[in-house]
Amino acid sequence: MRIAAGTIGLVASSAVGASAFVLPPLQTFLPSRSASTSPPPLFASGLVSGSAGTGEGWLKRPAAPVNSESSQKLTLDKTLEGATFKKRLSLLGCTGSIGTQTLDIVSACPQNFEIEALSAGTNAALMAEQCAAYRPTIASMATEAAAVELKERLVAAGAPLPEQILFGDEGTVAAATAAGADTVVTGIVGAAGLLPTIEAIKLGKDIALANKETLISGGPVILPLVEKHGVNMLPADSEHSAIFQCLQGVPEGGLRRVILTASGGAFRDLTKDELFGMCKNDPRAVQKKATTHPNWDMGAKITLDSATMMNKGLEVIEAHYLFGASYDDIDVVVHPQSIVHSMVETADTSCIAQLGWADMRLPLVYSVSWPHRLRMPYKPLDLAEIGSLTFKAPDGDKYPCIGLAYEAGRTGGTMTAVLNAANEMANERFREDKGLGFLDIPRLVEGAMEAHKEELVTDGVTLDDILSCDAWAREHVASSKIMMDSAKLFV
């Protein structure tokens, strides 16, 4: 939609001293791995990834450029081009945590990055400051009122107006598909990032993926599009960026296992009995603590997901789609210091880890500069200052959301979309203080998954299937009773 400079496009929203480094043996969180006696021909070189050496459950063409001869050649070609590149970015979710930190990177590296389009929610005040500073061609807000306010603020400040000021879902898509953008940074929370990401992929734009739900809900649709349009999907969250960085130079068939680290969230220092007792006796304290992260400065939704450890379960599914690893070869380990951001184990059993401070700008900058390494004004890592790094297996009884995510991932098809949507709704209701208890979150998710089994689609999954399942799961959770005394999940 083309609109005269400075006007507002009324786009209707379509709702839809010495360091002790101790690393104990890492164990698979869920049931033991199974081996196949007849490995499928997944890899062109004949080299097969995975702990069992069969390739069973692995994806032939993952979303990220890894684990293949073609991805190695691509990485080498881009590396040899040098770091004098210039990219124009479309930034979705620009006023959120991911967005503001991405703009910090743009400010630190003006020789490498410019802003083509910005998309935000309803924070018109911050959006006006960003538009004045970065001069996007397109600016989009969630609502018409926010778009009107944005224009008024820019006019009052005497700042240049974007060529287009849009709003609604279609405005977000317009920002994602802006003609001048090379890379789209998807910082939108939740399933709302799915459609704009798909449209950007269709135009051949690389994706700096900070939105987990794009692959978790839409993986069956996204992967064929990524392959068809030759797009690079580059992880922008800390764990998957760490894995991606560790895989640079690992040849096809060389990956044995992916190891995701987890901070453990707000309740990591409590036993299961202590947490459940606190939920029963002091739910207000639980609600306050669950929305405060001990290590990271993140948005409210993902902070709560960290407390339930659903975020780690979602990351397991995302890792499957990004790197092709089977669910049997994706492990989770709790690492309270959040210094080792994740690891990979190679075929020879070597373990490669990526370390850094808990700073979201580090994975973000690699997602938009890959495979180059830009000089950044950040504090270098000091292991002596840290002193020690510790690891332990997660408690499956304390954190049932991890097991639910593995179950959804192994089931496949539309089940992961239901898992994600049910969690989003339960997460939202808890944060809005609607009377939902902390332990009700996994109960509601499990209930939605169980109810979806009769309508599960596993073959030929379409975008309409994903969107309808997403909407159904939200309604299922919204209409569920808050009190579920008969739930059998917790004993």
Side-chain angles (χ1 to χ4, degrees):
M1 180 175 181
R2 304 302 300 176
I3 300 175
T7 63
I8 298 175
L10 304 183
V11 181
S13 174
S14 56
V16 219
S19 300
F21 187 100
V22 182
L23 180 60
L26 299 175
Q27 302 176 19
T28 305
F29 171 66
L30 283 182
S32 59
R33 301 173 175 86
S34 58
S36 168
T37 57
S38 56
L42 291 182
F43 305 99
S45 67
L47 300 174
V48 181
S49 291
S51 59
T54 65
E56 181 182 9
W58 284 67
L59 299 176
K60 180 178 181 181
R61 174 57 168 92
V66 297
N67 212 24
S68 69
E69 182 179 335
S70 61
S71 66
Q72 286 185 300
K73 290 178 179 178
L74 175 65
T75 303
L76 177 60
D77 290 343
K78 286 185 171 292
T79 301
L80 295 177
E81 290 174 359
T84 57
F85 64 89
K86 187 84 168 188
K87 287 185 180 179
R88 292 190 64 81
L89 308 178
S90 284
L91 177 53
L92 310 184
C94 61
T95 58
S97 175
I98 295 296
T100 55
Q101 291 178 90
T102 300
L103 292 175
D104 286 345
I105 294 167
V106 173
S107 296
C109 304
Q111 70 279 13
N112 295 113
F113 305 111
E114 292 179 347
I115 293 297
E116 177 68 20
L118 294 175
S119 173
T122 57
N123 190 343
L126 181 53
M127 180 64 141
E129 294 176 11
Q130 293 176 346
C131 286
Y134 298 99
R135 308 287 180 86
T137 301
I138 297 174
S140 177
M141 304 297 293
T143 66
E144 179 180 2
V148 171
E149 182 184 349
L150 172 61
K151 182 179 179 182
E152 291 174 346
R153 286 179 175 274
L154 289 172
V155 170
L161 296 177
E163 292 180 12
Q164 298 181 54
I165 299 178
L166 310 172
F167 69 87
D169 292 347
E170 293 182 28
T172 305
V173 171
T177 56
D182 305 298
T183 298
V184 180
V185 183
T186 60
I188 299 177
V189 175
L194 182 57
L195 184 58
T197 302
I198 287 175
E199 294 306 314
I201 290 171
K202 289 179 179 178
L203 293 179
K205 298 182 186 299
D206 285 348
I207 306 297
L209 187 68
N211 174 279
K212 290 183 176 68
E213 293 78 10
T214 294
L215 284 176
I216 294 159
S217 295
V221 173
I222 294 289
L223 257 62
L225 290 174
V226 167
E227 181 173 14
K228 177 180 178 180
H229 298 283
V231 165
N232 298 309
M233 187 162 278
L234 310 167
D237 66 314
S238 61
E239 294 83 0
H240 298 98
S241 175
I243 296 164
F244 184 55
Q245 292 180 60
C246 291
L247 287 175
Q248 301 302 300
V250 175
E252 181 176 346
L255 176 60
R256 178 185 176 93
R257 187 162 56 115
V258 167
I259 306 164
L260 289 163
T261 57
S263 69
F267 302 111
R268 66 190 183 195
D269 297 325
L270 300 181
T271 65
K272 183 197 80 169
D273 291 341
E274 288 171 337
L275 172 59
F276 288 10
M278 188 177 179
C279 290
K280 179 180 179 181
N281 301 320
D282 197 353
R284 287 292 180 188
V286 171
Q287 185 169 42
K288 181 177 180 181
K289 190 174 180 66
T291 52
T292 305
H293 198 278
N295 296 352
W296 294 93
D297 178 15
M298 305 184 295
K301 190 263 182 185
I302 193 172
T303 298
L304 178 54
D305 278 347
S306 180
T308 64
M309 286 196 72
M310 177 61 89
N311 74 316
K312 209 52 50 178
L314 296 177
E315 287 171 9
V316 167
I317 299 170
E318 187 180 7
H320 170 69
Y321 284 116
L322 272 171
F323 310 115
S326 74
Y327 289 102
D328 287 343
D329 291 319
I330 303 173
D331 291 347
V332 173
V333 62
V334 176
H335 169 50
Q337 295 81 16
S338 295
I339 295 297
V340 177
H341 297 302
S342 278
M343 300 168 266
V344 301
E345 183 181 79
T346 55
D348 58 4
T349 72
S350 291
C351 192
I352 305 171
Q354 187 267 331
L355 285 70
W357 296 117
D359 186 340
M360 274 303 302
R361 294 174 300 178
L362 296 177
L364 281 167
V365 71
Y366 195 66
S367 72
V368 292
S369 65
W370 169 83
H372 307 294
R373 295 288 184 174
L374 302 182
R375 184 173 294 276
M376 304 302 294
Y378 305 150
K379 177 185 176 181
L381 183 65
D382 186 342
L383 289 176
E385 177 182 338
I386 298 165
S388 64
L389 302 174
T390 59
F391 305 85
K392 64 180 180 180
D395 183 339
D397 294 329
K398 178 180 172 184
Y399 298 116
C401 285
I402 303 177
L404 292 173
Y406 271 98
E407 179 185 343
R410 289 187 168 112
T411 301
T414 53
M415 187 61 81
T416 54
V418 167
L419 169 90
N420 177 69
N423 176 67
E424 278 193 25
M425 180 58 72
N427 181 303
E428 179 182 321
R429 290 181 66 182
F430 179 85
R431 287 184 287 115
E432 291 178 349
D433 197 12
K434 299 290 187 181
L436 192 69
F438 182 77
L439 302 182
D440 288 329
I441 295 174
R443 289 172 178 159
L444 288 169
V445 174
E446 183 185 43
M449 289 172 59
E450 185 65 29
H452 180 59
K453 288 180 179 178
E454 293 183 1
E455 303 297 328
L456 175 68
V457 180
T458 56
D459 296 323
V461 178
T462 67
L463 179 58
D464 285 342
D465 291 330
I466 291 168
L467 295 178
S468 64
C469 288
D470 180 280
W472 172 87
R474 292 172 194 275
E475 176 60 28
H476 181 86
V477 169
S479 61
S480 296
K481 294 181 179 179
I482 297 299
M483 301 305 295
M484 294 170 289
D485 295 337
S486 62
K488 304 298 184 183
L489 183 59
F490 298 103
V491 295

